[in-house]
Amino acid sequence: MPAETILILDFGSQYTQLIARKVRELNVYCEINPYNFISNKKFNVSDYKGVILSGSPFSVRQKNSPQPDLNIIRKKIPVLGVCYGAQLLAHKSGGLVQPSKHREYGRANLSFVNNESVLFKNISKNSQVWMSHADTIASAPSDFEITASTSDVKYAGFQIQGEKTYGIQFHPEVYHSTEGIVLLKNFVVTICKCSQSWTPASFIQTTINDLRHKLGNDKVVMALSGGVDSTVAATLLHQAIGKNLYCIFVDNGLLRKDEFKNVLHSYKDMGLNVKGVDAKKVFYKALKGKKDPEQKRKAIGKTFIYIFDKEARKIKNVKWLGQGTIYPDIIESVSVKGPSATIKSHHNVGGLPAKMKLQVVEPLNTLFKDEVRRVGKKLEITPAILGRHPFPGPGLGIRILSDITEEKVRILQEVDYIYIEELKNAGLYDKVWQAGAILTPIKSVGVMGDERTYENVVALRAVSSTDGMTADWCHLPHEFLAKVSNEIINRVKGVNRVVYDISSKPPATIEWE
């Protein structure tokens, strides 16, 4: 943990991770823990510069709502309650929290702002904020000084006199609160006195030093996927322990066209100690005849573990397994109902630690995806890898609907290659969060020259997103889609029809399987 850390207590809000991202944009490290973390014997208030209480789907009036003892932190370090957090502060202090006369959701404007309050310094009167609550603070103790109001919400902002404890009934972390980042900076930098020194450069230096101390002369084995996370994690480990890092890059036969050769070449140019393993035939055999998506996933995962374990055992005296786990993987495994030691199985190496009896080292498990990319840029990792779209762990295995054959893989690789290259040529690749092609189990009638054809239908998918939790389909230019369709049908034998997926997530998912 860095010397200067802000603690975010999660009460189950959909915006909790967004608070963390905004704090980190200020170059201040923060971590998210469940609301009852402060009751843990391991919790030490002096480890933190301040605490933010998140929003929540609960009401403080509910019997089973999360209500930790806030006296553990109040008057010891600065506290900022956001929405539910603000209502909890009022409720615990003897104030009255009642259902709003009408649900307060959406944009609002501050009709009163006390700029003498440190929290509201440089916040404009009429500043737009985002409300999202069904309850409101109807009354509060006399030591609750009002610092901001809207036409409907009297206690839009308050400070408890005699302590650095603040509350706001709006969400500063969301885009629609136009000066939210100013308010968060006032709290984190001015009130909590954080120095804004947590940068990619400082993270790299600290992480490499920590890895050297932790690993010493031990050997680490790590699976590489060609993706951003595993590449950045491997680069950090390489800079810490050099040739004691043994990387394995497995060709499962479900990668993109020429990806195995190209990525392996990139890794060797980066100086990584990497071994490429061509296991296409083993994977195809394991997948033969399997049509169910879950069966295919399990077969791919089981085969990967077999291949990786087999290769790793050839390296003597390995003690550690390197993984590219990132912070959302950790957060999502911990319920707001209480801390959990269960970490979700990871995309490529689920089940390996138990099987191989290795300790796990995860250099990126405190970072969000965008932070991983910033660290990777500072490490001067090639843009071809850093800017790469997310690619599913099972690869083309879940983009070939129904059973998988070498011929189907060949068709989809060619289609996908044309699609991705055309996106790059048109300057659209970096504007799309994820793109790929799907080989459907549908055949359709077509005409090529004077001949009737009966060939495969492929679907193209392109979405915009920030984290993959929600996604909207990309409105690619019709001229572009027409050109891609024409290229695919003319150049890929076995395809005579191209369709474009215009479904958003939800209700659809990004992948088809």
Side-chain angles (χ1 to χ4, degrees):
M1 183 193 299
E4 296 182 345
T5 302
I6 296 292
L7 171 64
I8 300 170
L9 290 182
D10 181 22
F11 291 86
S13 169
Q14 61 179 322
Y15 299 133
T16 303
Q17 287 194 34
L18 196 50
I19 298 174
R21 286 169 180 261
K22 290 295 181 182
V23 170
R24 291 182 177 200
E25 280 178 20
L26 296 167
N27 293 329
V28 173
Y29 179 74
C30 63
E31 63 179 33
I32 298 171
N33 276 294
Y35 69 88
N36 56 4
F37 173 70
I38 57 174
S39 302
N40 192 310
K41 289 180 181 178
K42 294 180 181 178
F43 172 71
N44 187 346
V45 71
S46 63
D47 289 340
Y48 302 94
K49 299 284 282 185
V51 179
I52 298 175
L53 313 176
S54 83
S56 177
F58 293 98
S59 163
V60 295
R61 297 175 295 103
Q62 289 176 251
K63 278 187 177 180
N64 296 324
S65 61
Q67 298 199 17
D69 181 5
L70 299 180
N71 289 324
I72 295 170
I73 52 177
R74 277 181 59 180
K75 297 184 180 179
K76 298 177 179 69
I77 50 174
V79 176
L80 172 63
V82 175
C83 202
Y84 178 90
Q87 293 165 7
L88 185 63
L89 285 165
H91 179 69
K92 288 274 195 179
S93 302
L96 181 62
V97 176
Q98 291 183 330
S100 305
K101 290 179 182 177
H102 53 85
R103 181 169 167 79
E104 289 152 354
Y105 183 88
R107 295 176 181 85
N109 296 90
L110 298 178
S111 56
F112 164 73
V113 178
N114 178 6
N115 292 127
E116 295 299 312
S117 165
V118 181
L119 188 66
F120 283 88
K121 185 180 179 184
N122 297 323
I123 302 290
S124 315
K125 187 180 177 183
N126 293 320
S127 182
Q128 180 179 286
V129 295
W130 183 261
M131 297 286 185
S132 180
H133 55 262
D135 287 349
T136 194
I137 299 170
S139 64
S142 58
D143 61 345
F144 275 52
E145 180 186 350
I146 296 173
T147 52
S149 305
T150 70
S151 56
D152 294 318
V153 181
K154 182 180 179 183
Y155 290 92
F158 63 80
Q159 178 179 359
I160 303 178
Q161 294 174 1
E163 53 185 288
K164 292 180 180 179
T165 302
Y166 307 82
I168 49 176
Q169 283 201 86
F170 57 89
H171 289 272
E173 68 274 21
V174 303
Y175 170 79
H176 302 290
S177 290
T178 52
E179 295 179 314
I181 194 70
V182 178
L183 185 143
L184 288 171
K185 184 177 181 182
N186 288 340
F187 179 71
V188 169
V189 178
T190 308
I191 295 169
C192 298
K193 301 190 184 313
C194 292
S195 60
Q196 296 183 276
S197 57
W198 194 71
T199 62
S202 70
F203 172 83
I204 291 166
Q205 184 179 359
T206 302
T207 302
I208 289 173
N209 289 339
D210 289 348
L211 288 171
R212 283 174 180 158
H213 177 74
K214 183 176 188 175
L215 302 173
N217 291 318
D218 290 352
K219 291 181 181 178
V220 178
V221 65
M222 183 170 183
L224 297 181
S225 68
V228 177
D229 301 339
S230 69
T231 303
V232 174
T235 304
L236 287 167
L237 283 162
H238 174 70
Q239 293 200 9
I241 62 172
K243 293 294 183 181
N244 275 345
L245 172 66
Y246 293 79
C247 299
I248 298 171
F249 183 37
V250 177
D251 184 356
N252 60 9
L254 303 166
L255 302 174
R256 286 180 153 138
K257 183 182 177 181
D258 297 332
E259 186 171 22
F260 182 65
K261 177 183 69 178
N262 294 339
V263 172
L264 200 56
H265 188 269
S266 294
Y267 282 147
K268 287 182 176 173
D269 281 351
M270 291 160 60
L272 291 178
N273 178 19
V274 59
K275 180 181 181 181
V277 181
D278 182 350
K280 292 193 289 289
K281 299 291 185 185
V282 184
F283 279 88
Y284 291 152
K285 185 178 179 181
L287 286 164
K288 188 175 181 179
K290 290 183 171 58
K291 296 182 179 181
D292 179 74
E294 199 55 34
Q295 282 188 352
K296 289 195 289 183
R297 276 189 170 87
K298 286 179 179 176
I300 293 166
K302 185 178 179 181
T303 306
F304 179 86
I305 290 171
Y306 166 74
I307 297 291
F308 184 81
D309 185 41
K310 182 181 174 184
E311 292 297 327
R313 288 180 186 278
K314 295 176 183 178
I315 308 161
K316 294 182 178 179
N317 302 317
V318 174
K319 294 185 179 179
W320 297 84
L321 174 72
Q323 292 194 157
T325 314
I326 62 174
Y327 198 37
D329 296 331
I330 305 296
I331 298 167
E332 287 163 16
S333 70
V334 180
S335 166
V336 291
K337 285 292 183 185
S340 165
T342 305
I343 304 301
K344 72 177 187 179
S345 62
H346 306 302
H347 297 299
N348 292 326
V349 285
L352 280 175
K355 181 180 176 67
M356 300 176 72
K357 296 183 173 63
L358 297 177
Q359 298 179 77
V360 177
V361 57
E362 301 169 313
L364 305 178
N365 66 2
T366 61
L367 298 187
F368 289 103
K369 190 78 166 186
D370 50 339
E371 293 170 330
V372 174
R373 283 198 167 95
R374 287 202 291 271
V375 168
K377 187 175 181 181
K378 191 71 181 175
L379 289 166
E380 298 182 344
I381 292 171
T382 171
I385 290 179
L386 276 191
R388 184 177 184 254
H389 287 178
F391 191 64
L396 300 180
I398 57 169
R399 291 182 180 174
I400 296 172
L401 309 190
S402 191
D403 64 317
I404 294 168
T405 65
E406 285 191 63
E407 175 61 10
K408 287 181 180 180
V409 172
R410 180 200 67 78
I411 290 171
L412 187 56
Q413 283 180 334
E414 293 296 332
V415 171
D416 180 83
Y417 179 79
I418 292 168
Y419 182 33
I420 296 301
E421 286 303 301
E422 289 297 335
L423 280 168
K424 291 176 179 176
N425 293 340
L428 294 169
Y429 184 82
D430 292 336
K431 297 177 182 178
V432 171
W433 191 74
Q434 184 172 341
I438 297 94
L439 181 64
T440 77
I442 302 166
K443 291 197 172 186
S444 73
V445 175
V447 177
M448 290 187 179
D450 295 325
E451 293 185 6
R452 179 180 183 275
T453 62
Y454 191 60
E455 294 181 334
N456 295 285
V457 178
V458 294
L460 305 182
R461 184 82 159 127
V463 297
S464 58
S465 181
T466 53
D467 53 15
M469 300 300 289
T470 61
D472 195 12
W473 63 279
C474 289
H475 296 241
L476 298 177
H478 291 178
E479 297 80 5
F480 169 80
L481 291 171
K483 182 183 179 186
V484 170
S485 174
N486 193 53
E487 289 284 312
I488 290 170
I489 291 170
N490 285 341
R491 289 168 53 187
V492 183
K493 187 178 179 181
V495 175
N496 69 355
R497 192 177 299 268
V498 176
V499 299
Y500 186 58
D501 183 349
I502 59 168
S503 312
S504 295
K505 178 186 178 182
T509 52
I510 295 175
E511 300 294 342
W512 280 35
E513 284 193 341

